[in-house]
Amino acid sequence: MTAREDAEALARGIPAVPYVAGGWLSARGLETFDVIDPVTERALASVAEADGAAVALAVNAARAALGDGAWGRLDGPSRGLLLGRLADLLEARREDFACLESLEVGKPGAEPRMIDLPQAVQTFRHFAGWADKLAGRAIPTPGYRGRPTLSYTIREPVGVVAAITPWNSPTMIGAWKIAPALAAGCAVVLKPPEDAPLTSLLLAELCHEAGFPPGAFSVLPGRGITTGSLLIDHPGVDKISFTGSPETGRIVAIAAAKGFRRTTLELGGKSPQIVFADADLDAAAEGVATGIFANQGEVCAAGSRILVDRKVHDEMVARLVARAETVVVGDPFDAGTTMGALINARQLARVRHYIQAGCHEGARLLTGGGCPPRSGYFVQPTLFAGASNTMIIAREEIFGPVGTIIAFDSADEAVALANASDYALAATLWTSDLSRAHTVARAVRAGAVAVNGWSPLDPRLPWGGSKLSGHGRELGWPGIEANTEEKTVTIVL
Ligand code: NAD
């Protein structure tokens, strides 16, 4: 069998039903939806959608698992052991996950092998280590009516966390939500993306095998407008951790506000990559290209606004065009492919719409812009120059392999351009001037700034943005804070 046939067989073998309360529901009576292969446009699997009863079952099982339930009774070290076991199981099955993610998302296998799977494994390991370290604080207080006091805090799990993930990196982004919530002692109900739910359903098998008590972790496949909507409106949910578009993020925020429930919103981006004239241009060209073409540009942190010092503008343009033209677009399972397909026909239409908008607004199309004549949702890596920061292609998130190059004349202008955006998720700086690196890193409004490397991920580092990019932080200690309440206890001695 070919690698593609192996992956297709794996996809067919996954229980394509909700995983709830420690078991798999029967598909009988549930509606189904097809998961479409972005390359062949054929159905990879037919998945049973979680309906209102399944959502209620999952949320109620999660509530029952907390407190005096089997999950709530487990201490931190025991939760850490389970998370560590899950990390080991995921690591052992990493090749299966990489093939499956490549198949359902349409990305070349090198990306999940090098990024998504190692990151997901590390994230579970990192938070396994936090599970027994959720200490409160002892806070000195001056006393109460003349008597001394002892004040301290306790960290308690927020409760039931609804985790809603997007299709671009479902394994890694799923881990970012599940691992800190479980480490904190929360119960998690995951609603994976309808376009790419298979890796999350496979993860349910691993959680089952790891031995998490029933209700600690459930997976509810389904569409956003049905299952997602039912989940965010369920009154038994205490927190919604959402990654996706700002449009859906707003719906989630409104649903959460009705019940004063907590949210973490990881939304989109229009991130700048700033290339100063003193940069190592070889490294910058390679890094900038990775920053906009990795994962077909379907990355929230994609460096889609490429701001280049006018002194090296033409040189960088030539290098970036040359680099773009080395990209091999095709079936992710073909040897040599370095860029796969977009997730679906809607995303392809969206990217094409933006390419047309760029041409209509007068930006200069340097390379790409077309779609290979074959089945699948493919688009060529595309670069525009001669653009201004007010053009649609510089303002709106495209979520495809389309970079917009804009020239600047001073560091102040570069910072002003970088910050003139509705989004504030990430930024990349390319410079060999240490002082400039620190100064500009402070001045740019973004949740994460990388210097001389695009988006180095690490589960120890907080991740998230502001403005249209959302609010709250995942990963590292903030990931624990986002899933715990800090209770104050004061004893009048
Ligand atoms: P989306 O908002 O359409 O969907 C995201 C998730 O929300 C999916 O699971 C979907 O089923 C669910 N959903 C949709 N409508 C819903 C509703 N009414 N109620 C509840 N759930 C609902 O986004 P997408 O198309 O899947 O992903 C692309 C977007 O996600 C881009 O804007 C991208 O920038 C963003 N993104 C952000 C990050 C980040 O970390 N900031 C990471 C990846 C993707």
Side-chain angles (χ1 to χ4, degrees):
M1 289 219 289
T2 64
R4 166 171 277 286
E5 285 165 349
D6 278 342
E8 288 171 351
L10 181 63
R12 285 193 299 274
I14 289 171
V17 291
Y19 174 75
V20 172
W24 285 269
L25 295 186
S26 159
R28 204 169 317 123
L30 297 180
E31 282 194 30
T32 57
F33 63 94
D34 284 344
V35 180
I36 303 298
D37 182 332
V39 171
T40 63
E41 302 181 37
R42 291 196 308 261
L44 289 170
S46 169
V47 179
E49 180 168 70
D51 60 4
V55 170
L57 210 58
V59 175
N60 293 338
R63 290 223 77 77
L66 294 168
D68 290 337
W71 180 237
R73 284 200 311 272
L74 282 192
D75 55 20
S78 308
R79 293 198 305 274
L81 271 179
L82 285 173
L83 281 165
R85 206 177 289 159
L86 179 58
D88 291 346
L89 290 170
L90 186 60
E91 190 167 47
R93 297 284 303 273
R94 63 187 183 278
E95 187 55 25
D96 282 347
F97 272 83
C99 289
L100 202 54
E101 183 151 324
S102 177
L103 186 70
E104 64 176 349
V105 179
K107 59 172 82 174
E111 293 183 8
R113 278 187 194 99
M114 283 166 51
I115 300 166
D116 302 79
L117 265 301
Q119 282 297 320
V121 170
Q122 282 180 43
T123 300
F124 283 114
R125 290 226 166 97
H126 174 74
F127 284 101
W130 269 121
D132 66 355
K133 299 176 188 66
L134 308 188
R137 302 177 286 162
I139 301 172
T141 40
Y144 174 78
R145 295 186 180 179
R147 294 177 60 188
T149 45
L150 169 65
S151 297
Y152 63 92
T153 68
I154 303 170
R155 282 213 168 262
E156 296 178 337
V158 162
V160 175
V161 173
I164 301 181
T165 47
W167 41 259
N168 57 337
S169 283
T171 311
M172 182 178 76
I173 295 176
W176 289 0
K177 300 189 178 308
I178 300 160
L182 291 177
C186 296
V188 177
V189 180
L190 172 69
K191 208 297 283 171
E194 55 269 50
D195 288 293
L198 301 176
T199 42
S200 305
L201 290 164
L202 187 55
L203 190 71
E205 288 195 338
L206 301 196
C207 285
H208 194 77
E209 194 181 337
F212 283 89
F217 178 66
S218 297
V219 181
L220 298 177
R223 289 162 294 168
I225 45 159
T226 48
T227 310
S229 228
L230 288 162
L231 182 59
I232 62 174
D233 285 334
H234 196 290
V237 168
D238 298 295
K239 177 191 167 165
I240 306 166
S241 175
F242 172 80
T243 297
S245 61
E247 296 75 23
T248 312
R250 191 169 284 121
I251 294 170
V252 168
I254 291 168
K258 285 184 194 150
F260 298 103
R261 290 174 292 153
R262 291 175 65 170
T263 53
T264 305
L265 300 176
E266 303 287 355
L267 310 177
K270 193 72 194 176
S271 299
Q273 305 202 66
I274 309 178
V275 183
F276 290 97
D278 56 37
D280 171 345
L281 293 190
D282 286 335
E286 183 54 35
V288 168
T290 304
I292 183 58
F293 298 140
N295 209 27
Q296 300 77 239
E298 298 166 315
V299 180
C300 52
S304 49
R305 286 188 299 147
I306 304 163
L307 312 180
V308 184
D309 192 320
R310 203 178 300 279
K311 292 195 264 311
V312 291
H313 175 270
D314 293 354
E315 167 85 31
M316 267 304 282
V317 162
R319 286 172 187 249
L320 286 173
V321 169
R323 173 62 176 70
E325 290 175 356
T326 66
V327 172
V328 180
V329 179
D331 185 336
F333 289 89
D334 287 349
T337 293
T338 55
M339 184 185 284
L342 300 177
I343 189 73
N344 56 30
R346 189 163 47 92
Q347 191 63 17
L348 177 60
R350 174 186 166 110
V351 172
R352 295 180 77 170
H353 154 80
Y354 278 110
I355 292 171
Q356 279 168 8
C359 294
H360 285 149
E361 281 186 306
R364 187 156 41 94
L365 181 65
L366 297 169
T367 184
C371 299
R374 51 163 297 166
S375 74
Y377 312 119
F378 293 95
V379 65
Q380 291 166 334
T382 301
L383 289 171
F384 282 102
S388 83
N389 204 41
T390 54
M391 287 181 180
I392 289 172
I393 52 168
R395 286 201 328 266
E396 297 184 10
E397 184 180 45
I398 298 173
F399 222 55
V402 182
T404 301
I405 303 171
I406 301 168
F408 66 81
D409 290 300
S410 68
D412 285 347
E413 190 191 358
V415 170
L417 288 169
N419 289 345
S421 173
D422 291 336
Y423 292 92
L425 183 63
T428 311
L429 316 180
W430 296 91
T431 178
S432 56
D433 181 330
L434 189 61
S435 169
R436 168 173 286 154
H438 287 293
T439 317
V440 176
R442 277 170 180 259
V444 168
R445 184 153 182 207
V449 179
V451 181
N452 295 335
W454 173 72
S455 203
L457 294 171
D458 193 300
R460 294 153 200 86
L461 300 175
W463 178 251
S466 58
K467 298 162 100 178
L468 269 194
S469 297
H471 61 237
R473 294 290 180 272
E474 295 183 307
L475 303 180
W477 171 247
I480 294 294
E481 283 184 316
N483 287 286
T484 49
E485 301 285 6
E486 193 171 20
K487 177 188 278 178
T488 300
V489 179
T490 300
I491 301 168
V492 180
L493 299 169

